[in-house]
Amino acid sequence: MSRELPVNVQVVDQFPVFELDGYTPHSGLVQADFDVQIFRDGVEQIGHAFTIAEIGTTGQYRFTFTPATTAFWLAVVSIPYNREVWGGAYDIVDESTTTLYEMVRRALGLIHENIYIDETVYDQNSQLETARVRLFSSAADVDLATDGGLPPPGGTDPQHIAAYQVITVWEGVNRYKVFKQKLEP
C-alpha cells in the first residue's frame, strides 16, 4: 500500500535493522552502509538525493527524500549487513488534489486520528490551560514525533499536516468556561 503525498514535500519514513539473530536491534550504521534505489513510475532515478540516519542509538533508521514530480515513487533500501530489504511506496499527487485532501486530513485529525499533543501547561488544580495539537499523516509519523519537536528544516520531527494551539479558561474546578483551538500559521 502506498502513502499519498503532495509533490515537493519531503518524505520521512523509518525502518529497523536487526542483528543476524533477526531480533536484536543493530545500531551504528551510517548512510554508506545501505544500498538505495529510488524509482519513479518504475524507472530507477540514478543520483536522486536522499538521507538515512539512525534515530538515536535504537537500531531504527530514518529515510528521507523529496519527490519533485507527480508519479508513483518507490524506495528500496538494501542492507548488506544482514541481507534485509526495506521498501516504501509513495503516490505523489499535484496541489489541486492535495488541497481537498489536506482539508479532509485536517478534519480526520480534529477527530483525533494521528495526533500528537504536547507543550502542555496545567494550573494549580491540574487542569489543562494550554497545549499544542499536531496532526500527522500516519501513525508512524506520530511515533517519530517528540515533545516540543519541530519539523525540518529546523527540527527532526516529521512534517505535520497542521498544528493547533489549545487554550482553556477555567471557571472553578472541573468546569471550563472557554475552550479554544486555533490553527497555527
Side-chain angles (χ1 to χ4, degrees):
M1 187 164 112
S2 64
R3 287 172 48 195
E4 186 174 291
L5 300 165
V7 69
N8 290 319
V9 172
Q10 184 181 51
V11 172
V12 179
D13 229 323
Q14 82 177 61
F15 60 92
V17 176
F18 296 103
E19 295 288 349
L20 297 177
D21 65 10
Y23 176 75
T24 307
H26 183 78
S27 183
L29 298 177
V30 296
Q31 183 164 312
D33 295 324
F34 300 92
D35 294 328
V36 177
Q37 293 175 289
I38 298 174
F39 298 89
R40 187 187 79 210
D41 287 336
V43 177
E44 186 172 3
Q45 303 300 295
I46 306 297
H48 195 88
F50 66 91
T51 62
I52 296 179
E54 187 171 10
I55 303 168
T57 57
T58 61
Q60 293 282 328
Y61 293 81
R62 179 175 289 155
F63 170 79
T64 63
F65 81 109
T66 304
T69 60
T70 59
F72 178 76
W73 290 76
L74 178 67
V76 178
V77 178
S78 301
I79 308 158
Y81 164 77
N82 59 8
R83 297 189 181 132
E84 290 182 7
V85 175
W86 171 85
Y90 314 95
D91 204 7
I92 307 303
V93 297
D94 68 25
E95 280 302 314
S96 62
T97 305
T98 58
T99 301
L100 178 59
Y101 185 65
E102 287 297 317
M103 291 168 50
V104 170
R105 289 193 320 167
R106 283 179 47 200
L108 286 172
L110 291 173
I111 58 171
H112 296 174
E113 180 179 279
N114 296 325
I115 68 165
Y116 191 94
I117 301 173
D118 63 351
E119 298 182 2
T120 55
V121 175
Y122 295 89
D123 69 11
Q124 69 276 8
N125 295 315
S126 299
Q127 300 175 133
L128 182 67
E129 289 186 332
T130 63
R132 174 177 68 164
V133 178
R134 289 181 288 163
L135 316 179
F136 289 95
S137 334
S138 68
D141 286 349
V142 172
D143 290 340
L144 290 171
T146 58
D147 187 15
L150 297 172
T156 58
D157 275 15
Q159 184 66 47
H160 53 263
I161 298 166
Y164 296 85
Q165 181 183 21
V166 172
I167 301 167
T168 310
V169 177
W170 293 93
E171 185 175 71
V173 177
N174 296 327
R175 183 177 171 162
Y176 69 83
K177 181 176 182 179
V178 176
F179 181 89
K180 299 178 189 178
Q181 183 166 313
K182 299 188 296 186
L183 179 64
E184 292 183 345

